[in-house]
Amino acid sequence: MSQARTTPHRSGGTDTRTAVTDAEVEALVRGICFKTGPPRSLGVEVEWLVQELRAPRLPVSTERLEAAYAALRTVPLNSALTVEPGGQLELSSPPAASLMECVGTVSADLDAVRAALREHGLGLLGIGQDPWHPPRRFLRQPRYDAMEACLDRAGPAGRAMMCTSASVQVCLDAGTEEPGPLGHVRRWWLAHQLGAVLVAAFANSPLAGRQPTGWRSTRQLTWTEIGADRAGAPPLDADPRGAWARHVLDAPVMCVRRDGGPWEVPEGLTLREWTRSGGPRPPTRDDVDYHLTTLFPPVRPRGHLELRMIDAQPGEDGWIVPLAVTAALFDDAQAAETAYRTVKPLAERALGLPAPHNPLWVDAARHGLADPELHEAAVACFEAALAGLPRLGATADVVGAVTGYRDRYVVPGRCPADDLLDELDGKDLST
């Protein structure tokens, strides 16, 4: 029987502090994970490492970061400004009605952020994983204390993810209920196969501790090492809602929150087991909502689809290229159909295993576009994206940026990680 906690909290008429059963959790997750309809909105979350302008390889002190972020919180922004556990900066755009609206909003916000940081002698670095510094916690909060304790059980990858990684995350509408290029089942499948191509084409983290790791995307390797239960996708099947709901229930609980004192970090307790056992206290709707934020698959359904596999990109505007390419390959019906046909043969290399713990994704992270099949697929996908971008209203500048990226990296089978490796002998990784 459901047991109400003493302090009710209501959201939309539902008491979120009432204990839930596993059947109720499954119904809840199925109802909220895919909000279907014609794709109409787009968003992006851009993460950056924060560095000293005068000496980029020196660590930024906690005091300087605190002062800079205090100043930033007084800057009017349209995007949400958040800080990651290691002090990385993230801007999350509001849902935009078009690609160019999204680009315009985030570009203006980044201009304001950079100006404020310059006043403190700081700047932004677009790279998937810090090439110089070991993980160092900036934020001391119960959530991150619990996260660190939980992820430490699997090794050092969790701290690297929390404190030294940065990405470009593209947020897309889930798609229509009906089948076809814009249907949610097709888009869910496409995100997991095309995701490997995006990993390879935009890989930008080949270094750690100032040395090559042997991977073009060390950031993606880090996510893989966290483990399939925390950072893996569910099996792909014809019912994405059911697959995701089962994955959520069978994933281990990161923590049990407490109003006072440290949060519990149970070992091996899945959400399904928690709902059935009721201990250490009965889980509530609030706990389910929180549990969803502690799962980090490469494609996370949050009503919309959050594509999380792209490394942060070099240059002030480098983030625009993966945003534009991804938007075109999902939201333009012709480009989406081409992308689907292009990556379908690649799916065999996944061996039926969920991303990113399958050979296709591992090869993408290790080799980038030096992998011949991924290279061929990336060339075809960029051509399809370039054809679709004008139909999405992209400006000549955005089309030009994607064209330039194609010519510089995709056609010759390179990625930004290759530039960093080429520059390693020159000891200049500050740009």
Side-chain angles (χ1 to χ4, degrees):
M1 181 178 296
S2 296
Q3 302 176 29
R5 295 188 65 189
T6 56
T7 306
H9 173 71
R10 296 188 174 272
S11 175
T14 301
D15 188 345
T16 60
R17 305 299 290 271
T18 300
V20 291
T21 66
D22 57 337
E24 290 170 335
V25 171
E26 181 167 2
L28 171 67
V29 174
R30 289 177 67 101
I32 66 176
C33 58
F34 293 88
K35 300 295 186 183
T36 54
R40 291 193 176 95
S41 59
L42 177 71
V44 69
E45 301 174 18
V46 286
E47 295 174 342
W48 305 83
L49 302 180
V50 178
Q51 64 177 5
E52 294 279 1
L53 288 176
R54 292 184 178 179
R57 298 189 192 185
L58 293 179
V60 182
S61 70
T62 298
E63 294 75 18
R64 284 170 56 73
L65 278 177
E66 288 174 345
Y69 280 125
L72 274 176
R73 291 188 180 95
T74 69
V75 176
L77 302 171
N78 289 302
S79 303
L81 171 70
T82 52
V83 182
E84 295 298 302
Q88 310 98 305
L89 181 147
E90 178 179 281
L91 284 181
S92 302
S93 74
S98 69
L99 170 63
M100 293 316 304
E101 179 184 321
C102 186
V103 169
T105 296
V106 177
S107 294
D109 287 342
L110 279 170
D111 287 345
V113 165
R114 287 193 175 95
L117 287 177
R118 279 196 298 270
E119 295 293 322
H120 293 263
L122 301 176
L124 300 178
L125 174 65
I127 193 169
Q129 183 157 305
D130 192 322
W132 306 305
H133 308 122
R136 180 193 62 168
R137 283 270 303 281
F138 170 67
L139 295 182
R140 294 289 171 183
Q141 299 172 2
R143 170 181 172 87
Y144 297 122
D145 292 343
M147 182 181 293
E148 184 177 276
C150 176
L151 297 181
D152 276 352
R153 291 169 179 160
R159 294 195 184 202
M161 175 275 288
M162 291 172 64
C163 300
T164 63
S165 69
S167 68
V168 176
Q169 299 177 16
V170 181
C171 299
L172 305 156
D173 282 336
T176 64
E177 197 68 33
E178 299 76 21
L182 301 182
H184 77 283
V185 175
R186 169 79 71 86
R187 285 161 74 87
W188 177 247
W189 183 92
L190 179 62
H192 289 87
Q193 309 303 340
L194 180 61
V197 180
L198 298 175
V199 168
F202 296 109
N204 186 35
S205 51
L207 307 171
R210 304 173 184 248
Q211 297 296 322
T213 63
W215 295 74
R216 297 302 200 280
S217 178
T218 305
R219 174 183 164 274
Q220 187 58 54
L221 169 65
T222 297
W223 281 110
T224 303
E225 290 178 336
I226 288 172
D229 52 4
R230 182 72 54 199
L236 292 178
D237 59 29
D239 178 20
R241 291 186 176 94
W244 178 245
R246 290 189 295 273
H247 183 74
V248 168
L249 277 162
D250 292 331
V253 173
M254 177 172 285
C255 58
V256 177
R257 294 172 295 164
R258 299 289 187 187
D259 293 334
W263 296 357
E264 288 190 48
V265 183
E267 187 166 6
L269 176 68
T270 69
L271 181 59
R272 189 186 303 276
E273 292 166 343
W274 190 14
T275 61
R276 292 178 177 178
S277 70
R281 62 166 174 78
T284 66
R285 164 70 187 270
D286 275 348
D287 292 315
V288 175
D289 292 342
Y290 190 84
H291 177 66
L292 291 170
T293 72
T294 69
L295 303 180
F296 311 114
V299 184
R300 185 159 63 178
R302 303 181 62 188
H304 58 275
L305 300 182
E306 183 182 83
L307 276 64
R308 304 169 50 84
M309 72 288 295
I310 301 169
D311 281 357
Q313 295 297 289
E316 292 192 356
D317 299 326
W319 59 274
I320 294 175
V321 174
L323 170 64
V325 169
T326 306
L329 294 178
F330 279 86
D331 289 351
D332 178 78
Q334 295 179 47
E337 184 63 30
T338 299
Y340 173 76
R341 293 197 306 268
T342 297
V343 302
K344 196 170 185 180
L346 289 176
E348 297 179 4
R349 288 176 57 178
L351 302 180
L353 300 173
H357 300 85
N358 65 50
L360 176 63
W361 278 68
V362 170
D363 287 344
R366 185 188 295 275
H367 302 298
L369 294 187
D371 181 288
E373 289 183 305
L374 287 165
H375 177 220
E376 182 180 0
V379 170
C381 286
F382 265 72
E383 292 300 329
L386 283 167
L389 281 171
R391 294 190 288 267
L392 294 183
T395 62
D397 285 346
V398 169
V399 173
V402 175
T403 301
Y405 193 97
R406 177 201 63 184
D407 295 344
R408 178 175 178 177
Y409 294 115
V410 179
V411 171
R414 292 174 59 85
C415 56
D418 293 304
D419 288 350
L420 290 170
L421 292 171
D422 289 347
E423 293 169 6
L424 185 60
D425 290 340
K427 308 286 193 246
D428 181 10
L429 303 179
S430 60
T431 59

